[in-house]
Structures are given as structure tokens and as C-alpha cells.
Amino acid sequence: MTIDMSQFYQVFFDEADELLAEMEKLLLAIDVSAPDSEDLNAIFRAAHSIKGGAATFAFNDITEVTHMLESLLDRIRKGEMALTPEHVDAFLVSKDILTMQMDGHHRGSSVDQAAVDSVCQRLKALSHGIVADAPATAAPAAPVAAEPVQSAAAPVADADGNYHFRIELPDVPQRDVDALATELGLLGTISQETLPSQRVVFTLATSEGLDNIIAICSFVLDPDDLKISHCGTQAAAAAAPQGGSDPLRAEVPQVGVESYAPAHDDPGYGIFEPEKADAASPAPAAASETAAPKAEQAAPAAEAKNHGRRAIDKEGASLESSSIRVGIEKVDQLINLVGELVITQAMIEQRISVLDPIHHERLLNSVGQLTRNTRDLQEAVMSIRMMPMDYVFSRFPRMVRDLAAKLNKKVEFVTRGAATELDKGLIERIVDPLTHLVRNSVDHGIEMPDVRKASGKNETGKLILSAAHQGGNIVIEVTDDGGGLNRDRILAKAKQQGLPVTDTMPDADVWQLIFAPGFSTAEVVTDVSGRGVGMDVVKRNITAMGGTVDIRSIPGVGTTISISLPLTLAILDGMSVRVGEEVYILPLGYVIESLQPAAADVKDIAGQGQVVKIREEYLPLIPLYQIFDIEPNFTNPSQGIAVILEADGKKAALLVDALVGQQQVVVKNLESNFRKVAGISGATILGDGGVSLILDVSALLRSSRQLNADPVFF
């Protein structure tokens, strides 16, 4: 029976993406001067896992890159060479190449083969510079220095194209030995021997790779307990008399197991463990004497490394087994169904509200229990869609590092609150706006090292990306300790572009000018910024998500750009208000309070509408019936209800006829089902089956001309 491996592609690509992201994160955080051994092991395991998966699916181009990557990583983690910044740079570039190759197989995108060849040559050059270990006076290409290293590092196939492996098993039951012998026998020719220690050793001649051997063994035992080595191709070749029999044939496993000596420079990779040369080995005595001390010295370190790696691997396996990978479309479908359930539950509540509570006590109690369960179910399902902000934050360390290097700046990047959760739909949409803000902070905010030093600052600037919950919103801030915004330059540029500005404008309003379309104060246009595009898109995208943007800046100290977003756009707590025969929903997060104003507290401002006095503060009064051209029950503010709202740092009073109540509503997209309506952010279905519009509070406050009134008139 043939298995269609393509059905497993998506799992491989998802896991590979996670491994590459983790690799990049570790590389960016590693201390080059004193790298942590666990970090090096984790980076190596990521490359090795990707290589194994790629080999399984015959993605040979990925296998080739990861093989060279893990070979170099293995020498570094074993202490055979010191980690340098050049290594880190090469590993990061290799990560980019692997991502490109993954996209090529996954999405059919183009692959720059020249870039692939370049990184392969770079990895080879780094490896040869250390592995050859030739004296300074020796010629780099001298065959005497190069041949032994190359022959020891790579196994040689025999005339039939088979490689010969020695597989020493740990103490396992005989039934497991028999099962492994049967399965491994399917890969090629296998023989079996028993050591004096009663451990079983297989000798396998096969054309298959190591990954297939390890995969088969892992079904029965822990691969970390195996000892696998290439049977002595080189030893047999050295021992064979010249002109005698074929040295590749001399290693066929009919002689004792003790006669097989693995290559002394076998990479190992934590699975292939070097063994001490046996006295009966046909290898020369000198080679045995030099190999034994190395093996004895390496054994404690190798055992410690393997023990630590095994603990981490098993911990990772237990974590993996406690989670399940589900397509986002299934989660969205589940959320939609729960939304419909919430609507149905609201309908039932409305129907039973007219029943006699005495005669229908049991029914009312059951509906109450249904309401509580529905609420718990909704919260549980919504939590499935919530993702930590680290999903977004993790992509910026690399970007900041590369951007700082391009601009010849020194930047320390810090993230805070990466565990803060946000709806997946919002997380995906916030990536581009945050990318613009982070790039601008590095390019415009943080000064050059000499400028910072001259002003008494540390040469290394600090860029902080943070996230935190505030009420029903999440606040994301991009903060730099750079030179701050230049008020005079912004005003001059605004006047040049014909924007309505004055020299007496408050700082908060001046900072908002940078979000005007086409606005830029950059003196030089580069590939980083300066074309006047991006910041207006940032604000437009955030506003479309129901969020707000605020800027705080102090010259010479730094700038903070704050983004406030609702935690989710699927279900929200709202306040129902009535105007005439219409019922509207106000998102509860914008509501401060509601009251009925006294006639003496309402003032008319010539040409600017009305204001209402609330505790010594005058707020613009927005009659909702005028906004939507509705016939209200009350036009006199003292007879209606004023709902105090706050958005974008502005306050206003919304005049409505009455408050209906507070309820949880399921948000339906109005634009995709009808069209965009000014002042409306969405719609919902009420308990009676009617449709109610959800008010866009920020848009209402921005479009109200009363907000432009000068407070001095009051």
C-alpha cells in the first residue's frame, strides 16, 4: 500500500516555521563571547529536526542546506571552534534561505538559487577554516592536509551504493530486538552479534539514510540510547594490502563486531557516539593510542550534553502532546456557531420575560442556567482565538538588528508583555502598522552613536515594544529614547503642505500631523523611510480595527506611540440606547456614565451647536437623531439622556431618548453584507430578531464639528 505523503506536508511546514522562528530568536539573544550550551543545543536540534522532516518528504534542497548548517553547529557546540559574529550572521542568512525554500515548496514561490549557492559556499568556507586545522605555513589546498579530514568526515558507499552502519542497542527485551531486526532488515542486509555485556549489535548495509534508521528505532526505544557509527570503511581501506581485495568489500560484517572501529572524526550529532579503539582492532597502534585519550576526554562532556538534551527533548515532547493543531477556519466556524447560540439564548430570554415567575419557576431557572453556560462557553471559545503578542513581537528583533546595522546605529531592543493575549484576527492586522512604527523609531527616533555621545547619552539607543491590558482594551506602545519629535520642523512642513495649523497648537495636535497623508520631514529619501507613506496608513488601519493612536514626545528624551485596541472584534459588551423607534448599540468600553442634564447646564454656542456642563467641564453635545436624520421622542436635552463617551482622548455627550439596557452582542460585519456606513462599525441581531447598528464612537466624535470648539469660549 502506497501512502500519500502530501497529506502531511502542512504539519511539516507549520513545525518548520516554528523551529526557524525559535532558531532566529535564540541566535539573536545568544552571547557570542560566552554562548550557553543549551542554546547551542537547541539551535542544533532545530536544524536537525528540519533536516529530518525535509529528507522524509524528499525536499533535497532543504536537506542540503540544513546538513551543512548542522555540521557547522555541531562543531561549535562540541567546542571544536569558537562561536563568532560571522557564524551568527551566516546562521541568520541560512534561516532566511530555508524560509525561502519552504515557501517554494509550500506556496510555489520562486527560489533564488544564486542566494542558496552563496549561503552554501559561506557555510562551507566557515567549516573548512576550522575543520582543516592546517598549520599557518601549510598550503590551504595541500592534499596531505585536506584528504584525511574529508575522508574521515564523510562515509563512503561500497560498490553497490550501500553504507555500512554499526547499531548498538541498549538493554531491551528480546521481542524488541526481534522487531527491530525485522524492520531494519527491510532497509538492506542485516547481521546480528551479541557483546560480552549481552548487548545486541546490528550491522546494516543499506542505501537508506540515517534518518530512516533512527525513525524505525524510535518506535521501539529512545534514539538517545542508541550508539550508531559508520562501520570501518576507512579502517578496512587502511588495513587492506595494496593490490589485494576490494577494501569496500573487506568491511562486510562476517567478522567479529569488535573489529569495527568507527571513524575517529565522525561528527556524531549527539546520536553517533565515538567508541574507544579495541586492542584487537586492525587499525594501526598509533591511531589507537591517539584516539583513546580523545574518546576518554570527550565521554563525560558528551554524556552531560546528551543527558541535558534528552531532558529537554522529553519535556518538549510532553508539551507537544498536551496541545493540538487546528485550522483557523474551524475555530472561526466554532465562534460563529457560538455567536448564533448567544443570539438564540437572548431570544429565549426575551420570550420568557413575559411569563409568570411563580407558575414557570422551573423554566426560568433552567433558562438562567442556560444563560450562564452560554456565557462560559462563549468565553472559553473566544479564548481559543486569543494569541500571545509574542507572535508579533518575535519578528522584530531580527528586523531591528538588520536595520540598525544598515543605518550604522546601535540599538538595544526590549519587549515587555509578550504574553499579553489579543484576538488572532487583530494580531494579524497589527503586524504591518507596528512594522512601520518600529522602522520609524530606528530611522527617525534613535540618533547616530556620535550624536548620542555628544548629547551625553549612551551610544546604544533603546527601543521598547510593550503590551498590556487596560480595561477591555490592549495598549501597545513603541517607545524610543531618541531625539523626540521636532515641533518646529513638523509645523513648517505642515504649512508648506497647506495644512490648517497655528503656532499656538498644543503639542498633542502637532504630533498628530505626522499621520497626515504624504507627510514626511525626512531630508533624504532612503529605502527605509522618507517617502511620506506609511504613517497615514498606520492610523487608518488601526482606526479600522476600532483602535486609537496617541503620541507623546519630549525633545531630547524620546517618543512613545501608543495604540489602543479592543481585545476582540467578534463579541462585545454593549449598551442599548433608543432614539425614536431605532435601537443602537454603544460599545461599553467608550461609555463613562449617563445622566439627564439640567436645562441650566445646556449652553448654545453660536455656530457650533450645544455644550453641556458636567462637573465644571463643558462637553460637546452630539444629538444622535441629527447624525442619522431620525425623528426623536425628545429634542430638548433636559428631557433626554446624555451618555458621556470618551475616545481618542476626547470627551463628548451623546443625546439619546432612553437607555434600553446592557447586553453582550455578536458583531456582524456590515460592510461585507451591505456597504460602509459613516458612524457605524457593525451590526448585531437582538433578542427579538431585529437588527441593531453598532455605533462607531471614534468616528462620531471626530466628525462632530462641536469638538473643534475652543474651550476659552466656555
Side-chain angles (χ1 to χ4, degrees):
M1 182 180 66
T2 303
I3 299 177
D4 181 12
M5 298 298 289
S6 63
Q7 60 183 308
F8 305 110
Y9 283 0
Q10 187 60 48
V11 176
F12 166 69
F13 290 129
D14 289 343
E15 292 182 351
D17 287 343
E18 294 175 1
L19 290 169
L20 288 174
E22 180 66 17
M23 180 191 299
E24 181 179 81
K25 182 178 179 181
L26 291 170
L27 286 170
L28 292 172
I30 200 165
D31 183 357
V32 177
S33 58
D36 184 84
S37 60
E38 289 302 327
D39 288 344
L40 291 175
N41 287 335
I43 296 169
F44 171 83
R45 285 195 300 274
H48 187 68
S49 298
I50 295 172
K51 173 189 171 183
T56 301
F57 296 109
F59 297 151
N60 297 327
D61 54 341
I62 298 176
T63 305
E64 180 184 1
V65 176
T66 49
H67 176 69
M68 288 184 285
L69 182 61
E70 71 171 358
S71 297
L72 182 54
L73 279 165
D74 189 60
R75 300 190 189 283
I76 294 174
R77 74 185 186 121
K78 286 182 176 180
E80 296 175 6
M81 66 170 64
L83 181 67
T84 66
E86 288 75 18
H87 287 130
V88 175
D89 290 339
F91 295 151
L92 289 172
V93 174
S94 301
K95 179 263 177 186
D96 294 338
I97 293 297
L98 289 171
T99 301
M100 177 178 64
Q101 291 177 318
M102 294 283 183
D103 289 340
H105 289 288
H106 189 195
R107 301 178 178 88
S109 56
S110 61
V111 176
D112 186 353
Q113 190 58 42
V116 176
D117 296 339
S118 175
V119 76
C120 289
Q121 293 175 2
R122 186 173 181 180
L123 292 173
K124 286 180 181 178
L126 288 171
S127 297
H128 289 168
I130 304 298
V131 174
D133 200 19
T137 57
V144 175
E147 278 187 13
V149 173
Q150 186 173 359
S151 62
V156 179
D158 61 18
D160 296 327
N162 291 329
Y163 297 96
H164 296 260
F165 298 97
R166 180 183 187 276
I167 308 169
E168 180 178 337
L169 304 181
D171 293 326
V172 293
Q174 184 61 40
R175 64 177 181 275
D176 291 341
V177 174
D178 296 339
L180 282 175
T182 301
E183 294 297 327
L184 290 173
L186 298 176
L187 301 182
T189 303
I190 188 170
S191 63
Q192 178 179 327
E193 298 286 344
T194 302
L195 298 177
S197 62
Q198 300 306 310
R199 289 195 174 190
V200 173
V201 174
F202 293 133
T203 302
L204 177 65
T206 177
S207 60
E208 299 290 338
L210 301 176
D211 293 320
N212 289 333
I213 298 175
I214 297 170
I216 289 176
C217 294
S218 64
F219 281 105
V220 178
L221 47 83
D222 189 338
D224 291 329
D225 295 331
L226 287 171
K227 291 183 179 180
I228 306 178
S229 57
H230 294 287
C231 289
T233 303
Q234 290 79 26
Q242 293 185 2
S245 60
D246 186 351
L248 295 176
R249 297 294 184 184
E251 64 169 71
V252 177
Q254 268 76 32
V255 295
V257 173
E258 263 61 336
S259 66
Y260 295 106
H264 68 82
D265 199 24
D266 193 344
Y269 298 158
I271 297 174
F272 299 89
E273 299 180 0
E275 300 178 76
K276 296 181 182 179
D278 190 83
S281 173
S288 301
E289 292 174 0
T290 56
K294 289 183 180 180
E296 291 173 358
Q297 294 172 5
E303 180 62 28
K305 283 185 178 181
N306 289 332
H307 177 75
R309 183 168 68 88
R310 189 177 308 169
I312 293 176
D313 286 344
K314 291 181 178 179
E315 179 183 357
S318 64
L319 292 175
E320 179 66 24
S321 62
S322 65
S323 63
I324 185 171
R325 196 184 300 275
V326 179
I328 189 61
E329 65 280 354
K330 293 184 179 180
V331 177
D332 288 340
Q333 182 182 13
L334 183 60
I335 290 176
N336 288 334
L337 290 174
V338 171
E340 296 299 326
L341 180 62
V342 170
I343 294 173
T344 304
Q345 175 264 327
M347 291 179 177
I348 294 174
E349 280 195 328
Q350 183 163 341
R351 298 292 189 275
I352 67 172
S353 62
V354 297
L355 298 179
D356 187 341
I358 296 178
H359 292 87
H360 302 87
E361 180 182 1
R362 297 177 63 182
L363 174 61
L364 296 178
N365 289 339
S366 298
V367 173
Q369 182 65 35
L370 174 64
T371 301
R372 289 188 292 271
N373 291 342
T374 302
R375 178 82 181 205
D376 293 342
L377 177 63
Q378 175 261 314
E379 292 179 353
V381 171
M382 290 304 301
S383 68
I384 297 176
R385 193 178 169 89
M386 304 298 283
M387 296 181 63
M389 285 301 297
D390 186 56
Y391 176 84
V392 178
F393 288 2
S394 61
R395 66 190 64 199
F396 289 116
R398 173 72 182 281
M399 188 188 78
V400 172
R401 178 184 186 271
D402 294 345
L403 191 57
K406 178 184 291 188
L407 298 172
N408 295 318
K409 294 183 178 181
K410 298 179 180 179
V411 181
E412 176 189 0
F413 183 67
V414 180
T415 60
R416 297 173 182 169
T420 306
E421 292 187 332
L422 182 64
D423 186 279
K424 175 177 172 60
L426 293 176
I427 273 190
E428 293 175 343
R429 294 167 63 183
I430 197 63
V431 170
D432 288 341
L434 278 182
T435 300
H436 280 295
L437 296 179
V438 169
R439 290 173 69 89
N440 278 352
S441 292
V442 176
D443 189 22
H444 295 306
I446 297 177
E447 314 96 325
M448 297 295 291
D450 55 342
V451 176
R452 293 180 61 87
K453 189 174 182 180
S455 60
K457 293 183 178 181
N458 191 314
E459 289 186 351
T460 302
K462 178 174 286 189
L463 178 60
I464 302 174
L465 188 57
S466 64
H469 285 149
Q470 289 186 9
N473 294 344
I474 183 174
V475 177
I476 306 170
E477 292 188 340
V478 180
T479 303
D480 66 72
D481 65 346
L485 297 178
N486 190 317
R487 175 188 171 92
D488 294 336
R489 183 183 296 179
I490 292 175
L491 284 174
K493 187 68 174 181
K495 292 177 182 177
Q496 179 183 339
Q497 294 188 354
L499 298 177
V501 297
T502 63
D503 292 336
T504 58
M505 290 175 62
D507 286 346
D509 293 339
V510 174
W511 307 149
Q512 288 292 325
L513 291 173
I514 69 174
F515 293 111
F519 190 91
S520 176
T521 59
E523 297 177 355
V524 179
V525 175
T526 67
D527 58 346
V528 177
S529 60
R531 293 179 175 83
V533 295
M535 295 304 284
D536 60 321
V537 178
V538 167
K539 186 166 187 178
R540 186 164 63 248
N541 290 348
I542 292 173
T543 301
M545 290 185 280
T548 59
V549 188
D550 182 49
I551 300 179
R552 304 186 301 275
S553 183
I554 301 176
V557 177
T559 302
T560 295
I561 300 179
S562 179
I563 301 172
S564 179
L565 292 171
L567 292 179
T568 179
L569 297 181
I571 297 179
L572 59 83
D573 290 318
M575 174 181 287
S576 304
V577 297
R578 184 182 298 278
V579 179
E581 298 300 322
E582 301 293 335
V583 175
Y584 296 94
I585 304 296
L586 280 171
L588 206 57
Y590 295 105
V591 178
I592 299 177
E593 60 179 321
S594 59
L595 50 87
Q596 189 170 37
D601 292 333
V602 179
K603 305 293 183 182
D604 291 323
I605 305 299
Q608 299 193 30
Q610 294 179 312
V611 295
V612 59
K613 183 180 180 182
I614 307 294
R615 287 188 289 276
E616 305 305 322
E617 182 182 9
Y618 284 93
L619 302 178
L621 187 65
I622 306 175
L624 193 58
Y625 70 88
Q626 290 184 3
I627 299 293
F628 296 122
D629 193 20
I630 302 171
E631 185 65 33
N633 294 332
F634 309 106
T635 58
N636 189 340
S638 61
Q639 296 177 324
I641 299 294
V643 183
I644 311 303
L645 306 173
E646 182 175 13
D648 299 340
K650 306 282 188 179
K651 288 183 180 180
L654 186 68
L655 180 61
V656 299
D657 289 343
L659 303 181
V660 178
Q662 179 179 330
Q663 66 186 97
Q664 194 175 54
V665 298
V666 179
V667 180
K668 301 293 184 180
N669 190 301
L670 186 64
E671 188 172 355
S672 61
N673 295 291
F674 178 55
R675 62 179 175 82
K676 179 67 176 176
V677 179
I680 300 298
S681 62
T684 188
I685 301 176
L686 300 177
D688 59 1
V691 175
S692 180
L693 300 178
I694 302 172
L695 298 178
D696 185 346
V697 176
S698 297
L700 289 177
L701 268 61
R702 285 195 305 270
S703 62
S704 176
R705 60 191 178 92
Q706 288 95 329
L707 287 178
N708 295 325
D710 193 333
V712 298
F713 294 142
F714 306 151

